[in-house]
Amino acid sequence: MRTSIATVCLSGTLDQKLVAAHEAGFDGVEIFEPDLIASPRSPEEIRARAAGLGLSLDLYQPFRDFEGVGPELLDQNLRRAAAKFGLMNRLGIDTMLLCSNVATARSGDEQLAAAQLRLLGDLAERHGVRVAYEALAWGRFVDGYETAARIVRLADHPRIGLCLDSFHILSKGHSPEAIETIPAEKIFFVQMADAPLLSMDVLSWSRHHRLFPGEGGFDLGTFMAHLARTGYTGPVSLEIFNDTFRQADPLETAIDARRSLRWLEHEAAVSLGAEAGGGRAARMPIASLPRVEPPADVGYVELRTTELPELRRLLGQLGFRSHGEHRTKTVELWSQGDARVVLGEPGSDRPRPTVAGLGLSVDDPATSLRRARELFAPEIPRQQDVGEEPLVGVGAPDGSEVFFGAARGPEPRWVSEFGAAADGEPPMIERVDHVNLAQPWQHFDAAVLFFHSVLDLRPDPSVEVAAPVGLVRSQVLRSADGVVRIALNLVPSAAAGDAILPQHVAFASADVLALARAARGRGFRPLDIPANYYDDIEARYQIEPGLLAELRELNVMYDRDESGEFLHFYTHPIGTVFLEVVERRGGYAGYGALNAPVRLAAQYQHRRAARQGAGA
């Protein structure tokens, strides 16, 4: 599958955008006109620069407000088009994007639009270029691809074809099935975009909230399958208008973009395979990714912090037992049940979040690594001595690491590389329930795509939670069986440099109240929950008085839905991490979303009090 990206997707100068597209492995780019106008390079220099980078220049865009106009304006539009066609000749670009008219059209007569496009086609013929007509979702008269296809068919000109854009089609709720009725030779260009499923005007949605495929809610795999069955073999490009992407590092964004197209290619292959034997065969070369099963469990969580004594004390209070240091590496292991925490000092090589790594148990680590590589995840070099369990890993967008280990038996073999666990009471924690990773603003959407595509975790609908410093956007990705759950939180900009939203690890217990009481006996002090909270849940849930009194006493929070109950408590933050212990009763599968604002406010108050105490 030939890949392309519009320069509007990336930040920086046009030259920086070309370099980023090349480094990320794209075949070509679309030139967004404002990027060209702002460039100090001549069109010939840009053409040579792209060629030197091995990039084709696939599309010049956009040309606006052409069809459906009166005779005088039509003449002006043709003069304007002639100038752009000449510019395209200098750039070596053979296709121009024509957007359906949103501002100057006086008539929705399709015969008139077709006649005017035919004139434009004659002009394009003289310059040896083509025009790809795109129905904008907010076009004055033409806002659907089937209408645009009828007009192109009526124009009946070899230089006039279609541009299909997934956002304009799916945001309007149009079915993509009719794409298969369009002759492949009339599809000149294809642009792909995902988006969150929002309720807002389509223009604002398009201009600010598009996402790369796999980061939003559109069914793009099915869309691509319809496209592939037409016989289209041209570039599949990305046109993403997104305020975050246009501020982030262009190379990081380009790599994320290239990952999204590789994932999309796989999803199209899966969709086509599922429908094998029906419809037309795809001529577009499409390759699936190595097939992997979702992780079986979280084998360990690695925490890197300078506040190791406090974390050791906290783990001990919760009943974790120390195994001591690794025999060759400067990390230590703490465990309880199947929950394992690896502790270490922050490295000096590159910045990493406190939750620095996840060890995941998978059926075939080599295949998981190969899939991750094909999705442009960088492999993490790891020193491995003789006799040590092989672990292979890749880097996540936020700088953390994900390692794959073989799922074998009740205890991974690498545990024996540490000392024997100290004696202790029977475990009251069973395993890691979920890991909550606070993401910087520039990495959130990339992280969603990373965990979705690399690990085949499926995203739940995102939610927003009120915090003292703003709304926190949260997205959970989980395995089908719900055993592996990774929650991503978008740090509000006001909190980004203040660690207001530390990361956290949640452990599963069969009896949270007993564990909380035992931990208190070891000196544990939970995060303080205000009395108003317990008054509220008493009114909301009519909790049995004895249970309510115990929840108050132990600072345990409570939630309930039609499937079951949820009891959980939090530790105070230690640096930029805190811990949670949860108990799920019945079929409860949530995370206590209604409790999150109370927890965030309690952490905020604790941090303010700690600062005031330090300054006193």
Side-chain angles (χ1 to χ4, degrees):
M1 186 175 82
R2 284 188 58 209
T3 61
S4 189
I5 185 171
T7 57
V8 72
C9 300
L10 306 172
S11 66
T13 65
L14 179 55
D15 196 67
Q16 288 174 315
K17 297 178 184 203
L18 293 176
V19 171
H22 161 71
E23 291 291 333
F26 281 92
D27 298 312
V29 297
E30 306 175 31
I31 296 294
F32 186 56
E33 186 171 73
D35 287 328
L36 173 75
I37 293 171
S39 174
R41 292 181 182 267
S42 70
E44 291 78 10
E45 289 172 328
I46 293 169
R47 178 178 184 172
R49 178 61 169 151
L53 292 169
L55 292 170
S56 58
L57 297 182
D58 298 327
L59 187 75
Y60 188 80
Q61 65 120 325
F63 192 77
R64 300 186 184 277
D65 299 326
F66 177 83
E67 84 289 1
V69 300
E72 182 176 341
L73 189 51
L74 176 63
D75 289 341
Q76 295 178 23
N77 287 345
L78 288 169
R79 286 194 296 271
R80 185 161 55 95
K84 297 306 178 185
F85 290 159
L87 176 60
M88 290 166 60
N89 289 158
R90 296 173 66 191
L91 286 163
I93 300 177
D94 69 358
T95 307
M96 180 178 77
L97 175 68
L98 170 64
C99 302
S100 62
N101 200 321
V102 302
T104 62
R106 299 190 316 190
S107 170
D109 185 325
E110 293 180 8
Q111 292 284 355
L112 174 64
Q116 293 178 342
L117 286 184
R118 196 176 304 117
L119 291 174
L120 184 63
D122 291 340
L123 182 61
E125 181 83 46
R126 294 196 288 273
H127 287 84
V129 299
R130 309 184 305 171
V131 176
Y133 183 49
E134 174 186 62
L136 296 183
W138 53 91
R140 176 167 290 186
F141 295 110
V142 180
D143 63 358
Y145 78 99
E146 293 181 81
T147 304
R150 282 198 306 271
I151 292 171
V152 166
R153 186 166 58 250
L154 289 169
D156 192 23
H157 197 290
R159 297 286 177 170
I160 301 295
L162 288 170
C163 175
L164 298 177
D165 184 307
S166 65
F167 180 85
H168 292 298
I169 294 171
L170 299 179
S171 66
K172 295 283 286 188
H174 297 313
S175 169
E177 285 186 36
I179 288 174
E180 295 192 40
T181 68
I182 302 171
E185 63 272 14
K186 279 300 178 183
I187 303 175
F188 285 2
F189 207 75
V190 171
Q191 295 173 323
M192 301 300 297
D194 209 336
L197 302 181
L198 302 174
S199 178
M200 64 188 309
D201 71 277
V202 71
L203 179 58
S204 298
W205 191 10
S206 172
R207 286 286 176 261
H208 301 284
H209 300 287
R210 294 196 195 194
L211 296 170
F212 293 127
E215 296 177 348
F218 290 162
D219 181 4
L220 297 182
T222 300
F223 184 102
M224 278 291 296
H226 290 306
L227 175 69
R229 281 193 291 269
T230 67
Y232 176 78
T233 58
V236 176
S237 189
L238 297 169
E239 186 193 43
I240 311 297
F241 297 91
N242 184 291
D243 298 338
T244 297
F245 297 167
R246 285 180 282 193
Q247 300 175 64
D249 179 88
L251 179 56
E252 291 182 358
T253 303
I255 291 172
D256 184 37
R258 187 65 188 86
R259 177 180 297 127
S260 77
L261 281 184
R262 184 65 186 92
W263 171 86
L264 179 60
E265 184 180 5
H266 169 78
E267 290 294 298
V270 170
S271 183
L272 288 166
E275 301 166 11
R280 288 174 284 173
R283 295 208 306 269
M284 180 186 295
I286 292 177
S288 60
L289 291 164
R291 185 179 181 277
V292 298
E293 294 294 330
D297 60 39
V298 178
Y300 70 85
V301 177
E302 180 181 357
L303 305 179
R304 294 275 182 174
T305 179
T306 57
E307 300 176 76
L308 289 178
E310 291 87 346
L311 262 181
R312 292 186 188 111
R313 181 167 55 251
L314 178 59
L315 289 170
Q317 289 169 343
L318 293 177
F320 281 81
R321 299 179 297 164
S322 172
H323 293 247
E325 288 198 354
H326 190 271
R327 64 192 184 198
T328 63
K329 299 175 177 62
T330 55
V331 293
E332 58 191 84
L333 174 65
W334 292 70
S335 73
Q336 184 174 181
D338 289 330
R340 303 173 192 89
V341 179
V342 175
L343 297 182
E345 295 276 356
S348 59
D349 52 344
R350 60 191 177 89
R352 293 166 66 188
T354 304
V355 180
L358 298 177
L360 301 175
S361 302
V362 298
D363 287 341
D364 184 351
T367 302
S368 293
L369 177 63
R370 189 165 71 253
R371 179 186 175 101
R373 283 173 175 163
E374 288 196 26
L375 287 161
F376 307 96
E379 185 175 358
I380 301 298
R382 180 179 183 271
Q383 180 182 345
Q384 181 179 311
D385 289 359
V386 176
E388 292 184 357
E389 177 76 358
L391 294 174
V392 293
V394 294
D398 67 349
S400 61
E401 299 172 351
V402 175
F403 279 92
F404 306 116
R408 296 193 190 106
E411 183 171 88
R413 291 196 308 200
W414 59 263
V415 172
S416 64
E417 297 166 18
F418 295 84
D423 292 334
E425 299 175 5
M428 301 182 72
I429 282 176
E430 299 173 343
R431 58 181 176 81
V432 173
D433 184 86
H434 63 276
V435 181
N436 195 312
L437 305 176
Q439 297 292 302
W441 61 270
Q442 70 272 34
H443 291 142
F444 183 87
D445 294 310
V448 171
L449 176 61
F450 174 85
F451 287 108
H452 180 22
S453 62
V454 172
L455 303 181
D456 199 26
L457 300 180
R458 298 294 158 172
D460 290 343
S462 64
V463 298
E464 290 185 336
V465 177
V469 292
L471 288 178
V472 177
R473 178 182 166 198
S474 182
Q475 178 107 51
V476 175
L477 297 100
R478 49 184 288 167
S479 57
D481 60 9
V483 173
V484 176
R485 312 166 192 247
I486 296 174
L488 303 174
N489 280 353
L490 175 60
V491 180
S493 57
D498 201 28
I500 296 296
L501 287 180
Q503 300 178 316
H504 86 266
V505 182
F507 301 103
S509 172
D511 192 339
V512 154
L513 296 173
L515 191 152
R517 194 170 296 281
R520 189 171 69 171
R522 303 185 192 103
F524 171 67
R525 290 184 59 249
L527 183 70
D528 296 316
I529 305 301
N532 291 337
Y533 166 80
Y534 294 100
D535 293 340
D536 178 69
I537 63 170
E538 180 182 20
R540 189 189 311 161
Y541 297 119
Q542 294 182 307
I543 300 173
E544 189 273 323
L547 173 59
L548 180 65
E550 197 168 8
L551 296 173
R552 286 180 187 269
E553 176 193 1
L554 298 172
N555 284 281
V556 173
M557 305 185 83
Y558 181 89
D559 191 27
R560 180 196 301 164
D561 62 18
E562 64 279 358
S563 60
E565 298 173 291
F566 187 60
L567 284 71
H568 59 134
F569 68 85
Y570 297 95
T571 72
H572 290 287
I574 296 178
T576 56
V577 70
F578 64 95
L579 307 179
E580 178 187 8
V581 182
V582 310
E583 178 186 349
R584 299 178 182 275
R585 297 178 176 178
Y588 185 96
Y591 303 87
L594 292 177
N595 296 335
V598 180
R599 185 261 297 173
L600 288 164
Q603 290 176 329
Y604 182 75
Q605 292 286 355
H606 173 77
R607 187 172 180 82
R608 281 175 57 89
R611 283 180 169 175
Q612 291 170 356

